[in-house]
Amino acid sequence: MPDFESERDFLVDSLVRRGYVVSQEVEKAMRRVPREEFVPAQLRDDAYVDTPLPIGDGQTISAPHMVAIMAEKLDLRPALKVLEIGAGSGYHAAVCAELVAPDGHIYTVERISSLASFAENNLKKTGYGNLVTVIFADGTKGLPEHAPFDRIFVAAGAPDIPKPLTDQLADGGKLLIPVGGRFYQDLIKVERKGGKLVKEGLGGCVFVPLIGEHGY
Ligand code: SAH
């Protein structure tokens, strides 16, 4: 039986050393979330390799370094209301939940029903059920019933920034989204400053495609 706690610490040490984890808050969050509980049973032994892993239906759990980069750039703090598009395994949502606890909330949308259930079960069994709500829907339309959001992030690559997402961003809010082709994207940060949207490119990344009304 592998010692998952030691493996997790070893991985987070390497994320700190390589400069992906910078803040103590993100470090603490990543040391707490058990990634082995968010991968299919037969892949548990690979949970602490810094790579995406298949979770079924052609989808993947994001690599830990990508979760770290996005958590740092989102500037997550307690009490924030966050929207994730692409729940997948629920792992990324759990890391964010650690950062907005105890009074913030993560809404995460997933378009594949079996994965929405997978994410929900994983989040419940690891104790994040109260901080995270999983919704089975097309996330390119956002989640108007819970808008506006302090933070929005998209865990899939989009051809362009879906307008419903910028419309549902609170003033002073931040959005992270991979934008580009089906196989390679740029991670874009958008900040809403009053009526203005300020965009910044953060570098290349590789995500599965965002599929839906305002996606592919
Ligand atoms: N954040 C996840 C990784 C998700 S992979 C994790 O930590 O495991 C990207 C996910 O986005 C896939 O599960 C895919 O089904 C989902 N997805 C793609 N387009 C979507 C859309 N329009 N709405 C909601 N989910 C979408």
Side-chain angles (χ1 to χ4, degrees):
M1 173 90 184
D3 177 358
F4 287 123
E5 240 167 76
S6 304
E7 287 191 21
R8 187 179 320 128
D9 278 335
F10 191 79
L11 172 68
V12 178
D13 289 346
S14 105
L15 295 175
V16 171
R17 213 170 38 242
R18 290 185 287 152
Y20 295 119
V21 169
V22 181
S23 66
Q24 287 186 350
E25 289 80 8
V26 172
E27 179 176 349
K28 196 171 146 209
M30 296 203 63
R31 287 199 195 279
R32 288 175 70 118
V33 182
R35 192 170 186 251
E36 73 276 12
E37 301 293 344
F38 291 85
V39 299
Q42 69 276 17
L43 292 177
R44 277 169 77 87
D45 289 358
D46 298 323
Y48 292 102
V49 182
D50 188 15
T51 182
L53 291 169
I55 54 173
D57 292 283
Q59 308 304 317
T60 52
I61 178 174
S62 302
H65 74 269
M66 188 47 67
V67 173
I69 290 173
M70 290 179 83
E72 293 287 1
K73 296 292 182 190
L74 270 182
D75 182 26
L76 295 167
R77 282 176 270 117
L80 292 185
K81 184 164 68 165
V82 181
L83 173 65
E84 173 184 36
I85 311 303
S89 66
Y91 173 73
H92 202 156
V95 172
C96 294
E98 284 284 347
L99 290 157
V100 304
D103 39 7
H105 201 81
I106 315 291
Y107 293 90
T108 182
V109 183
E110 174 55 55
R111 65 175 281 274
I112 297 177
S113 109
S114 56
L115 287 177
S117 307
F118 182 58
E120 192 163 25
N121 289 337
N122 294 341
L123 288 158
K124 277 198 178 135
K125 75 180 176 189
T126 48
Y128 295 102
N130 292 333
L131 284 164
V132 183
T133 305
V134 181
I135 292 145
F136 168 50
D138 173 6
T140 65
K141 298 192 237 177
L143 204 57
E145 60 271 38
H146 293 288
F149 296 95
D150 302 305
R151 303 288 185 267
I152 300 176
F153 68 99
V154 182
D160 223 324
I161 303 174
K163 187 169 183 299
L165 299 186
T166 49
D167 287 349
Q168 292 171 32
L169 196 58
D171 193 15
K174 294 174 187 170
L175 161 71
L176 278 187
I177 179 167
V179 179
R182 269 180 177 264
F183 301 105
Y184 187 80
Q185 306 91 27
D186 270 320
L187 187 61
I188 307 286
K189 178 165 139 183
V190 183
E191 282 192 67
R192 174 178 287 288
K193 295 186 173 163
K196 260 179 56 186
L197 295 172
V198 181
K199 293 181 196 168
E200 185 192 346
L202 301 177
C205 56
V206 178
F207 281 85
V208 295
L210 181 74
I211 294 166
E213 191 176 319
H214 303 273
Y216 278 105

